[in-house]
Amino acid sequence: MNLILTVDVILVVIMLVTAWLALTARDLQRAVILFIALGLLVSLAWVRLQAPDVAMAEAAVGAGLTGALLISTLNSMRELQKKKTSEVTPPADASPTPQEANHA
Amino acid sequence: MTLVYQIAVIFLLLNIGAGLIRILRGPTPADRLLAVQLFGTTGTAILILLSMEADNDAYKNVALAFALLSGILGVAFARYGQAPRPTSTPAKEG
Amino acid sequence: MLLDIAVVILIFAASFFFLAGTVGVLRLPDTFTRLHALTKADNAGLLLIAIAAALKADSWEVIVKLVIIWGLVIIASSTVAHLIGRATLQNGQTPWEKPS
């Protein structure tokens, strides 16, 4: 009796669910976290495909580096937005000018 | 003996699947980060078990990369990924 | 034979600890308690699995590698627990108390 096929099937199902959730997430932060989780799972899949080198590259680059960069990008985006709203809100909160709408 | 390893790997994969619920539901970003930490630790354990199951010591290098990675991600997230709250003092960040 | 029995027992004990960690992360009421469940139970489970792998290891290099893995995980997890706890506290969340 060999259960290795079951391992693969469960891994594939969890991977597909995570990928689908990451694609359809409304909240950007949730999408980034799900992307990191997906990177870890893909790395496990590479190990199951007997490619540990690729798995190591995927874990370091796909999940670690890209994840950290996305988190940092999210942070700077949020600060930009905060600055923008604090500049915009005092005059009037009704209909921003077309220029500002473009920037937002 | 390989059967024991495979059952343990299946069990840990189901644990990861349950951890997904916390990522989806987690009210604060810190809760989502906790779920990623769960993925990292459980993934390390899965890799050690797989290396025993396949009798291949190279897999343990990937476990080493996982162990390093979850720590770096946690520090990056705790430092840069917190949601802004009016009560906190954001001047300390950055 | 005795070694195999020991390895099986260790792996089952580790599975129990991982189950406890996952249930804690899913069921406990707030971030601090989840932090408590995750960072302790999962590291204990990983230690047991590392001991099981060390019992089956061929050479001492593998054992050194396992020790490094566990050391890294324990350092990273305690650092992250501290950072998350402090950030959550600064965000204004107070620890959960038993309603009485």
Side-chain angles (χ1 to χ4, degrees):
Chain A
M1 187 167 146
N2 203 337
L3 286 177
I4 203 69
L5 192 67
T6 320
V7 172
D8 290 351
V9 169
I10 293 177
L11 185 57
V12 164
V13 168
I14 294 179
M15 241 164 66
L16 284 177
V17 170
T18 313
W20 176 251
L21 290 173
L23 276 176
T24 56
R26 285 264 178 86
D27 185 14
L28 276 183
Q29 191 163 42
R30 185 187 296 187
V32 169
I33 295 278
L34 281 166
F35 178 79
I36 293 170
L38 180 69
L40 292 174
L41 290 171
V42 169
S43 176
L44 281 181
W46 280 121
V47 168
R48 274 300 305 140
L49 292 170
Q50 297 174 1
D53 305 344
V54 188
M56 213 140 68
E58 169 69 34
V61 177
L65 194 59
T66 319
L69 284 178
L70 283 175
I71 288 173
S72 162
T73 309
L74 209 60
N75 190 49
S76 48
M77 254 175 69
R78 202 185 290 131
E79 278 185 8
L80 210 66
Q81 216 151 28
K82 212 191 318 179
K83 208 185 294 175
K84 190 138 286 179
T85 48
S86 66
E87 280 171 5
V88 168
T89 38
D93 23 16
S95 69
T97 62
Q99 217 175 6
E100 279 167 323
N102 273 347
H103 275 284
Chain B
M1 202 58 198
T2 48
L3 196 65
V4 177
Y5 301 146
Q6 286 164 4
I7 290 173
V9 168
I10 289 174
F11 179 75
L12 292 182
L13 275 177
L14 292 178
N15 269 344
I16 282 190
L20 264 182
I21 300 174
R22 182 45 73 194
I23 292 192
L24 289 180
R25 291 228 323 245
T28 64
D31 291 314
R32 304 217 167 93
L33 176 61
L34 274 185
V36 172
Q37 291 287 311
L38 176 81
F39 276 35
T41 317
T42 316
T44 313
I46 288 178
L47 283 169
I48 292 178
L49 283 171
L50 280 178
S51 97
M52 284 152 85
E53 190 260 342
D55 208 5
N56 188 345
D57 281 340
Y59 292 180
K60 292 203 175 76
N61 296 334
V62 189
L64 204 55
F66 261 54
L68 204 56
L69 175 88
S70 64
I72 289 175
L73 274 180
V75 172
F77 196 88
R79 192 137 172 73
Y80 296 116
Q82 288 295 317
R85 296 283 172 85
T87 50
S88 71
T89 52
K92 257 185 80 179
E93 288 186 20
Chain C
M1 192 58 213
L2 211 60
L3 198 69
D4 281 356
I5 293 174
V7 167
V8 170
I9 290 174
L10 280 171
I11 286 179
F12 270 101
S15 304
F16 172 74
F17 274 106
F18 273 107
L19 180 67
T22 309
V23 170
V25 167
L26 285 183
R27 298 282 302 160
L28 286 178
D30 80 340
T31 308
F32 300 102
T33 48
R34 282 175 210 138
L35 206 60
H36 155 79
L38 181 75
T39 50
K40 290 177 192 65
D42 270 18
N43 288 327
L46 189 65
L47 173 67
L48 292 179
I49 283 191
I51 290 175
L55 286 180
K56 291 290 254 184
D58 304 324
S59 61
W60 61 271
E61 289 101 334
V62 177
I63 298 179
V64 170
K65 204 181 283 179
L66 287 166
V67 169
I68 294 176
I69 289 174
W70 190 67
L72 270 178
V73 167
I74 205 89
I75 291 172
S77 135
S78 46
T79 312
V80 168
H82 182 87
L83 283 175
I84 295 178
R86 199 179 56 181
T88 313
L89 209 58
Q90 279 178 353
N91 273 352
Q93 193 174 337
T94 49
W96 179 80
E97 279 176 25
K98 195 173 181 182
S100 56

